[in-house]
Amino acid sequence: MLVLEDINVYYGAIHALKGISFEVNKGEIVTLIGSNGAGKSTSLKTISGLLRPKSGKITFKGENLAIVPPQSIVAKGISQVPEGRRVFANMTVIENLELGAYLRKDKTEIKKAMQHVYELFPRLLERNKQISGTLSGGEQQMLAMGRALMSQPELLLLDEPSMGLAPILVKQIFSIIKEINASGTTILLVEQNAHMALSIANRAYVLETGKIVLSGDSKELAESEEVRKAYLGG
Ligand code: ATP
């Protein structure tokens, strides 16, 4: 579904992605793990078109994404939940969700998408008239995910959904990610919480200073000495 080949991304003189290649197949949950500054967020931003690679190729369902303007990438079926949620704090929950459907015209389809979001996140229905800035961190994460789902993406990009959340909420969010995947959405998940990410993903790639240093089946990686030492606290 999504293939990155030999991608190089720079911030000015900083070489943030050094020739990375990976792929996500339809129906999978794939995770990119790695420590702070490894290039995980940069990878997602490059896929969603917020950053452009200096060289390399990105194809989505066989189409070259490098020539697609960022605003059209959502219409192609890719939606991103940014790091730090970034909900529109002064707007209500409903207004945030409606903005996630801004590309869609069919009112019945929009209603159906919202219904699906409320089924996944009943809390959002309870709070749908609340100003988003007053929601808890976990609720804002739910809202950011719900908003991204309003475009009914084929591929959902999630950037650090566990960031700043209490363990019980992290568990809840990860179980919903599995549910979203089971209902047909392919997922690329970026996480510093390698333990949780490996527990739900089919496959994983380990990033270190802009390079992929390990990849494979999540269960196998979780058991490998190298990953356990570096990312799972021994
Ligand atoms: P984190 O979890 O901290 O976001 P990450 O793995 O997502 O880590 P990136 O944010 O992708 O890492 O950063 C990769 C590298 O690019 C780092 O060395 C970082 O300092 C650098 N970098 C990221 N954003 C910028 C920017 N806007 N300008 C300059 N350098 C940047």
PDB file of all heavy atoms in Angstrom, residues 5-33:
ATOM      1  N   GLU A   5      11.205   4.464  -0.462  1.00  0.00           N
ATOM      2  CA  GLU A   5      12.462   3.917  -0.968  1.00  0.00           C
ATOM      3  C   GLU A   5      13.575   4.956  -0.889  1.00  0.00           C
ATOM      4  O   GLU A   5      13.472   6.013  -1.517  1.00  0.00           O
ATOM      5  CB  GLU A   5      12.297   3.488  -2.439  1.00  0.00           C
ATOM      6  CG  GLU A   5      11.400   2.280  -2.629  1.00  0.00           C
ATOM      7  CD  GLU A   5      11.043   2.088  -4.099  1.00  0.00           C
ATOM      8  OE1 GLU A   5      11.856   1.507  -4.837  1.00  0.00           O
ATOM      9  OE2 GLU A   5       9.960   2.558  -4.496  1.00  0.00           O
ATOM     10  N   ASP A   6      14.566   4.652  -0.093  1.00  0.00           N
ATOM     11  CA  ASP A   6      15.779   5.451  -0.016  1.00  0.00           C
ATOM     12  C   ASP A   6      15.506   6.951   0.187  1.00  0.00           C
ATOM     13  O   ASP A   6      16.032   7.798  -0.546  1.00  0.00           O
ATOM     14  CB  ASP A   6      16.597   5.214  -1.295  1.00  0.00           C
ATOM     15  CG  ASP A   6      18.064   5.569  -1.084  1.00  0.00           C
ATOM     16  OD1 ASP A   6      18.491   5.723   0.078  1.00  0.00           O
ATOM     17  OD2 ASP A   6      18.780   5.715  -2.101  1.00  0.00           O
ATOM     18  N   ILE A   7      14.680   7.246   1.197  1.00  0.00           N
ATOM     19  CA  ILE A   7      14.247   8.633   1.453  1.00  0.00           C
ATOM     20  C   ILE A   7      15.303   9.414   2.245  1.00  0.00           C
ATOM     21  O   ILE A   7      15.769   8.974   3.299  1.00  0.00           O
ATOM     22  CB  ILE A   7      12.920   8.628   2.250  1.00  0.00           C
ATOM     23  CG1 ILE A   7      11.782   8.052   1.407  1.00  0.00           C
ATOM     24  CG2 ILE A   7      12.573  10.020   2.765  1.00  0.00           C
ATOM     25  CD1 ILE A   7      11.367   8.897   0.235  1.00  0.00           C
ATOM     26  N   ASN A   8      15.643  10.586   1.715  1.00  0.00           N
ATOM     27  CA  ASN A   8      16.543  11.512   2.411  1.00  0.00           C
ATOM     28  C   ASN A   8      15.823  12.822   2.658  1.00  0.00           C
ATOM     29  O   ASN A   8      15.281  13.422   1.729  1.00  0.00           O
ATOM     30  CB  ASN A   8      17.791  11.774   1.560  1.00  0.00           C
ATOM     31  CG  ASN A   8      18.740  10.593   1.606  1.00  0.00           C
ATOM     32  OD1 ASN A   8      19.443  10.390   2.591  1.00  0.00           O
ATOM     33  ND2 ASN A   8      18.714   9.774   0.558  1.00  0.00           N
ATOM     34  N   VAL A   9      15.798  13.230   3.953  1.00  0.00           N
ATOM     35  CA  VAL A   9      15.141  14.484   4.313  1.00  0.00           C
ATOM     36  C   VAL A   9      16.109  15.334   5.129  1.00  0.00           C
ATOM     37  O   VAL A   9      16.822  14.816   5.997  1.00  0.00           O
ATOM     38  CB  VAL A   9      13.850  14.230   5.141  1.00  0.00           C
ATOM     39  CG1 VAL A   9      13.251  15.531   5.642  1.00  0.00           C
ATOM     40  CG2 VAL A   9      12.820  13.466   4.314  1.00  0.00           C
ATOM     41  N   TYR A  10      16.138  16.609   4.819  1.00  0.00           N
ATOM     42  CA  TYR A  10      17.010  17.562   5.530  1.00  0.00           C
ATOM     43  C   TYR A  10      16.188  18.676   6.162  1.00  0.00           C
ATOM     44  O   TYR A  10      15.155  19.067   5.618  1.00  0.00           O
ATOM     45  CB  TYR A  10      17.976  18.222   4.539  1.00  0.00           C
ATOM     46  CG  TYR A  10      19.039  17.307   3.985  1.00  0.00           C
ATOM     47  CD1 TYR A  10      18.734  16.428   2.945  1.00  0.00           C
ATOM     48  CD2 TYR A  10      20.340  17.331   4.478  1.00  0.00           C
ATOM     49  CE1 TYR A  10      19.709  15.584   2.418  1.00  0.00           C
ATOM     50  CE2 TYR A  10      21.320  16.493   3.954  1.00  0.00           C
ATOM     51  CZ  TYR A  10      20.996  15.634   2.934  1.00  0.00           C
ATOM     52  OH  TYR A  10      21.960  14.801   2.411  1.00  0.00           O
ATOM     53  N   TYR A  11      16.654  19.151   7.327  1.00  0.00           N
ATOM     54  CA  TYR A  11      16.201  20.449   7.831  1.00  0.00           C
ATOM     55  C   TYR A  11      17.420  21.348   7.661  1.00  0.00           C
ATOM     56  O   TYR A  11      18.353  21.263   8.460  1.00  0.00           O
ATOM     57  CB  TYR A  11      15.850  20.376   9.318  1.00  0.00           C
ATOM     58  CG  TYR A  11      14.661  19.492   9.670  1.00  0.00           C
ATOM     59  CD1 TYR A  11      14.858  18.195  10.148  1.00  0.00           C
ATOM     60  CD2 TYR A  11      13.352  19.959   9.551  1.00  0.00           C
ATOM     61  CE1 TYR A  11      13.769  17.390  10.498  1.00  0.00           C
ATOM     62  CE2 TYR A  11      12.269  19.158   9.900  1.00  0.00           C
ATOM     63  CZ  TYR A  11      12.483  17.893  10.367  1.00  0.00           C
ATOM     64  OH  TYR A  11      11.415  17.101  10.719  1.00  0.00           O
ATOM     65  N   GLY A  12      17.449  22.159   6.640  1.00  0.00           N
ATOM     66  CA  GLY A  12      18.662  22.937   6.364  1.00  0.00           C
ATOM     67  C   GLY A  12      19.831  21.998   6.214  1.00  0.00           C
ATOM     68  O   GLY A  12      19.825  21.121   5.341  1.00  0.00           O
ATOM     69  N   ALA A  13      20.843  22.160   7.109  1.00  0.00           N
ATOM     70  CA  ALA A  13      22.040  21.314   6.990  1.00  0.00           C
ATOM     71  C   ALA A  13      21.885  19.984   7.748  1.00  0.00           C
ATOM     72  O   ALA A  13      22.726  19.102   7.633  1.00  0.00           O
ATOM     73  CB  ALA A  13      23.252  22.079   7.525  1.00  0.00           C
ATOM     74  N   ILE A  14      20.797  19.867   8.531  1.00  0.00           N
ATOM     75  CA  ILE A  14      20.621  18.643   9.327  1.00  0.00           C
ATOM     76  C   ILE A  14      20.024  17.523   8.473  1.00  0.00           C
ATOM     77  O   ILE A  14      18.935  17.668   7.912  1.00  0.00           O
ATOM     78  CB  ILE A  14      19.715  18.908  10.560  1.00  0.00           C
ATOM     79  CG1 ILE A  14      20.363  19.943  11.470  1.00  0.00           C
ATOM     80  CG2 ILE A  14      19.423  17.618  11.331  1.00  0.00           C
ATOM     81  CD1 ILE A  14      19.444  20.501  12.546  1.00  0.00           C
ATOM     82  N   HIS A  15      20.745  16.426   8.390  1.00  0.00           N
ATOM     83  CA  HIS A  15      20.310  15.283   7.581  1.00  0.00           C
ATOM     84  C   HIS A  15      19.464  14.369   8.484  1.00  0.00           C
ATOM     85  O   HIS A  15      19.992  13.540   9.200  1.00  0.00           O
ATOM     86  CB  HIS A  15      21.561  14.553   7.068  1.00  0.00           C
ATOM     87  CG  HIS A  15      21.276  13.601   5.960  1.00  0.00           C
ATOM     88  ND1 HIS A  15      22.268  12.881   5.331  1.00  0.00           N
ATOM     89  CD2 HIS A  15      20.126  13.235   5.347  1.00  0.00           C
ATOM     90  CE1 HIS A  15      21.731  12.117   4.394  1.00  0.00           C
ATOM     91  NE2 HIS A  15      20.434  12.307   4.393  1.00  0.00           N
ATOM     92  N   ALA A  16      18.130  14.571   8.475  1.00  0.00           N
ATOM     93  CA  ALA A  16      17.266  13.914   9.465  1.00  0.00           C
ATOM     94  C   ALA A  16      16.900  12.476   9.080  1.00  0.00           C
ATOM     95  O   ALA A  16      16.847  11.604   9.943  1.00  0.00           O
ATOM     96  CB  ALA A  16      16.002  14.737   9.679  1.00  0.00           C
ATOM     97  N   LEU A  17      16.644  12.220   7.807  1.00  0.00           N
ATOM     98  CA  LEU A  17      16.393  10.840   7.361  1.00  0.00           C
ATOM     99  C   LEU A  17      17.466  10.475   6.341  1.00  0.00           C
ATOM    100  O   LEU A  17      17.619  11.127   5.312  1.00  0.00           O
ATOM    101  CB  LEU A  17      14.996  10.701   6.738  1.00  0.00           C
ATOM    102  CG  LEU A  17      13.794  10.962   7.650  1.00  0.00           C
ATOM    103  CD1 LEU A  17      12.485  10.709   6.895  1.00  0.00           C
ATOM    104  CD2 LEU A  17      13.846  10.106   8.920  1.00  0.00           C
ATOM    105  N   LYS A  18      18.198   9.400   6.668  1.00  0.00           N
ATOM    106  CA  LYS A  18      19.379   9.074   5.857  1.00  0.00           C
ATOM    107  C   LYS A  18      19.146   7.820   5.025  1.00  0.00           C
ATOM    108  O   LYS A  18      19.625   6.739   5.357  1.00  0.00           O
ATOM    109  CB  LYS A  18      20.585   8.880   6.777  1.00  0.00           C
ATOM    110  CG  LYS A  18      20.887  10.121   7.607  1.00  0.00           C
ATOM    111  CD  LYS A  18      21.899   9.831   8.694  1.00  0.00           C
ATOM    112  CE  LYS A  18      22.131  11.071   9.549  1.00  0.00           C
ATOM    113  NZ  LYS A  18      22.614  10.726  10.885  1.00  0.00           N
ATOM    114  N   GLY A  19      18.336   7.984   3.999  1.00  0.00           N
ATOM    115  CA  GLY A  19      18.118   6.860   3.090  1.00  0.00           C
ATOM    116  C   GLY A  19      17.263   5.756   3.680  1.00  0.00           C
ATOM    117  O   GLY A  19      17.644   4.589   3.639  1.00  0.00           O
ATOM    118  N   ILE A  20      16.100   6.123   4.225  1.00  0.00           N
ATOM    119  CA  ILE A  20      15.283   5.071   4.820  1.00  0.00           C
ATOM    120  C   ILE A  20      14.295   4.478   3.804  1.00  0.00           C
ATOM    121  O   ILE A  20      13.790   5.146   2.922  1.00  0.00           O
ATOM    122  CB  ILE A  20      14.543   5.503   6.111  1.00  0.00           C
ATOM    123  CG1 ILE A  20      13.457   6.525   5.813  1.00  0.00           C
ATOM    124  CG2 ILE A  20      15.488   6.059   7.163  1.00  0.00           C
ATOM    125  CD1 ILE A  20      12.501   6.648   6.996  1.00  0.00           C
ATOM    126  N   SER A  21      14.068   3.174   3.974  1.00  0.00           N
ATOM    127  CA  SER A  21      13.127   2.438   3.132  1.00  0.00           C
ATOM    128  C   SER A  21      12.272   1.575   4.034  1.00  0.00           C
ATOM    129  O   SER A  21      12.792   0.929   4.946  1.00  0.00           O
ATOM    130  CB  SER A  21      13.872   1.502   2.165  1.00  0.00           C
ATOM    131  OG  SER A  21      14.749   2.230   1.342  1.00  0.00           O
ATOM    132  N   PHE A  22      10.973   1.624   3.833  1.00  0.00           N
ATOM    133  CA  PHE A  22      10.090   0.670   4.523  1.00  0.00           C
ATOM    134  C   PHE A  22       8.760   0.607   3.814  1.00  0.00           C
ATOM    135  O   PHE A  22       8.486   1.397   2.901  1.00  0.00           O
ATOM    136  CB  PHE A  22       9.934   1.009   6.013  1.00  0.00           C
ATOM    137  CG  PHE A  22       9.217   2.291   6.340  1.00  0.00           C
ATOM    138  CD1 PHE A  22       7.830   2.342   6.405  1.00  0.00           C
ATOM    139  CD2 PHE A  22       9.932   3.454   6.618  1.00  0.00           C
ATOM    140  CE1 PHE A  22       7.176   3.525   6.735  1.00  0.00           C
ATOM    141  CE2 PHE A  22       9.277   4.640   6.948  1.00  0.00           C
ATOM    142  CZ  PHE A  22       7.891   4.671   7.001  1.00  0.00           C
ATOM    143  N   GLU A  23       7.955  -0.357   4.201  1.00  0.00           N
ATOM    144  CA  GLU A  23       6.646  -0.464   3.560  1.00  0.00           C
ATOM    145  C   GLU A  23       5.563  -0.840   4.552  1.00  0.00           C
ATOM    146  O   GLU A  23       5.838  -1.403   5.622  1.00  0.00           O
ATOM    147  CB  GLU A  23       6.705  -1.479   2.425  1.00  0.00           C
ATOM    148  CG  GLU A  23       7.069  -2.858   2.893  1.00  0.00           C
ATOM    149  CD  GLU A  23       7.287  -3.806   1.718  1.00  0.00           C
ATOM    150  OE1 GLU A  23       8.095  -3.451   0.835  1.00  0.00           O
ATOM    151  OE2 GLU A  23       6.642  -4.862   1.705  1.00  0.00           O
ATOM    152  N   VAL A  24       4.342  -0.468   4.180  1.00  0.00           N
ATOM    153  CA  VAL A  24       3.168  -0.817   4.985  1.00  0.00           C
ATOM    154  C   VAL A  24       2.188  -1.499   4.034  1.00  0.00           C
ATOM    155  O   VAL A  24       1.838  -0.934   2.993  1.00  0.00           O
ATOM    156  CB  VAL A  24       2.515   0.449   5.587  1.00  0.00           C
ATOM    157  CG1 VAL A  24       1.309   0.072   6.442  1.00  0.00           C
ATOM    158  CG2 VAL A  24       3.516   1.252   6.401  1.00  0.00           C
ATOM    159  N   ASN A  25       1.785  -2.712   4.372  1.00  0.00           N
ATOM    160  CA  ASN A  25       0.836  -3.440   3.528  1.00  0.00           C
ATOM    161  C   ASN A  25      -0.589  -3.208   4.013  1.00  0.00           C
ATOM    162  O   ASN A  25      -0.820  -2.943   5.201  1.00  0.00           O
ATOM    163  CB  ASN A  25       1.150  -4.937   3.561  1.00  0.00           C
ATOM    164  CG  ASN A  25       2.555  -5.217   3.091  1.00  0.00           C
ATOM    165  OD1 ASN A  25       2.973  -4.749   2.029  1.00  0.00           O
ATOM    166  ND2 ASN A  25       3.314  -5.950   3.894  1.00  0.00           N
ATOM    167  N   LYS A  26      -1.512  -3.341   3.084  1.00  0.00           N
ATOM    168  CA  LYS A  26      -2.931  -3.137   3.406  1.00  0.00           C
ATOM    169  C   LYS A  26      -3.349  -4.047   4.565  1.00  0.00           C
ATOM    170  O   LYS A  26      -3.022  -5.225   4.595  1.00  0.00           O
ATOM    171  CB  LYS A  26      -3.767  -3.462   2.173  1.00  0.00           C
ATOM    172  CG  LYS A  26      -5.197  -3.025   2.263  1.00  0.00           C
ATOM    173  CD  LYS A  26      -5.896  -3.267   0.914  1.00  0.00           C
ATOM    174  CE  LYS A  26      -7.403  -3.220   1.034  1.00  0.00           C
ATOM    175  NZ  LYS A  26      -7.926  -1.968   1.569  1.00  0.00           N
ATOM    176  N   GLY A  27      -4.023  -3.454   5.551  1.00  0.00           N
ATOM    177  CA  GLY A  27      -4.549  -4.237   6.672  1.00  0.00           C
ATOM    178  C   GLY A  27      -3.616  -4.351   7.866  1.00  0.00           C
ATOM    179  O   GLY A  27      -4.032  -4.796   8.933  1.00  0.00           O
ATOM    180  N   GLU A  28      -2.370  -3.913   7.692  1.00  0.00           N
ATOM    181  CA  GLU A  28      -1.390  -4.076   8.790  1.00  0.00           C
ATOM    182  C   GLU A  28      -1.456  -2.941   9.815  1.00  0.00           C
ATOM    183  O   GLU A  28      -1.950  -1.854   9.526  1.00  0.00           O
ATOM    184  CB  GLU A  28       0.035  -4.032   8.224  1.00  0.00           C
ATOM    185  CG  GLU A  28       0.483  -5.288   7.528  1.00  0.00           C
ATOM    186  CD  GLU A  28       1.974  -5.211   7.191  1.00  0.00           C
ATOM    187  OE1 GLU A  28       2.408  -4.213   6.581  1.00  0.00           O
ATOM    188  OE2 GLU A  28       2.694  -6.149   7.528  1.00  0.00           O
ATOM    189  N   ILE A  29      -0.896  -3.250  10.999  1.00  0.00           N
ATOM    190  CA  ILE A  29      -0.438  -2.188  11.901  1.00  0.00           C
ATOM    191  C   ILE A  29       1.080  -2.295  11.874  1.00  0.00           C
ATOM    192  O   ILE A  29       1.639  -3.339  12.219  1.00  0.00           O
ATOM    193  CB  ILE A  29      -0.918  -2.375  13.354  1.00  0.00           C
ATOM    194  CG1 ILE A  29      -2.450  -2.389  13.445  1.00  0.00           C
ATOM    195  CG2 ILE A  29      -0.344  -1.270  14.246  1.00  0.00           C
ATOM    196  CD1 ILE A  29      -2.990  -2.564  14.878  1.00  0.00           C
ATOM    197  N   VAL A  30       1.723  -1.222  11.424  1.00  0.00           N
ATOM    198  CA  VAL A  30       3.185  -1.192  11.398  1.00  0.00           C
ATOM    199  C   VAL A  30       3.629  -0.095  12.348  1.00  0.00           C
ATOM    200  O   VAL A  30       3.014   0.976  12.397  1.00  0.00           O
ATOM    201  CB  VAL A  30       3.710  -0.925   9.971  1.00  0.00           C
ATOM    202  CG1 VAL A  30       5.204  -0.690   9.960  1.00  0.00           C
ATOM    203  CG2 VAL A  30       3.350  -2.095   9.044  1.00  0.00           C
ATOM    204  N   THR A  31       4.670  -0.355  13.122  1.00  0.00           N
ATOM    205  CA  THR A  31       5.151   0.691  14.019  1.00  0.00           C
ATOM    206  C   THR A  31       6.598   1.071  13.722  1.00  0.00           C
ATOM    207  O   THR A  31       7.411   0.231  13.324  1.00  0.00           O
ATOM    208  CB  THR A  31       4.986   0.281  15.505  1.00  0.00           C
ATOM    209  OG1 THR A  31       5.359   1.385  16.320  1.00  0.00           O
ATOM    210  CG2 THR A  31       5.832  -0.916  15.899  1.00  0.00           C
ATOM    211  N   LEU A  32       6.863   2.377  13.894  1.00  0.00           N
ATOM    212  CA  LEU A  32       8.240   2.885  13.839  1.00  0.00           C
ATOM    213  C   LEU A  32       8.592   3.242  15.270  1.00  0.00           C
ATOM    214  O   LEU A  32       7.928   4.099  15.864  1.00  0.00           O
ATOM    215  CB  LEU A  32       8.323   4.181  13.032  1.00  0.00           C
ATOM    216  CG  LEU A  32       8.024   4.203  11.548  1.00  0.00           C
ATOM    217  CD1 LEU A  32       8.190   5.639  11.025  1.00  0.00           C
ATOM    218  CD2 LEU A  32       8.979   3.278  10.804  1.00  0.00           C
ATOM    219  N   ILE A  33       9.581   2.558  15.822  1.00  0.00           N
ATOM    220  CA  ILE A  33       9.989   2.902  17.182  1.00  0.00           C
ATOM    221  C   ILE A  33      11.419   3.459  17.155  1.00  0.00           C
ATOM    222  O   ILE A  33      12.137   3.322  16.155  1.00  0.00           O
ATOM    223  CB  ILE A  33       9.879   1.693  18.145  1.00  0.00           C
ATOM    224  CG1 ILE A  33      10.711   0.514  17.653  1.00  0.00           C
ATOM    225  CG2 ILE A  33       8.432   1.272  18.327  1.00  0.00           C
ATOM    226  CD1 ILE A  33      10.752  -0.656  18.644  1.00  0.00           C
TER     227      ILE A  33
END
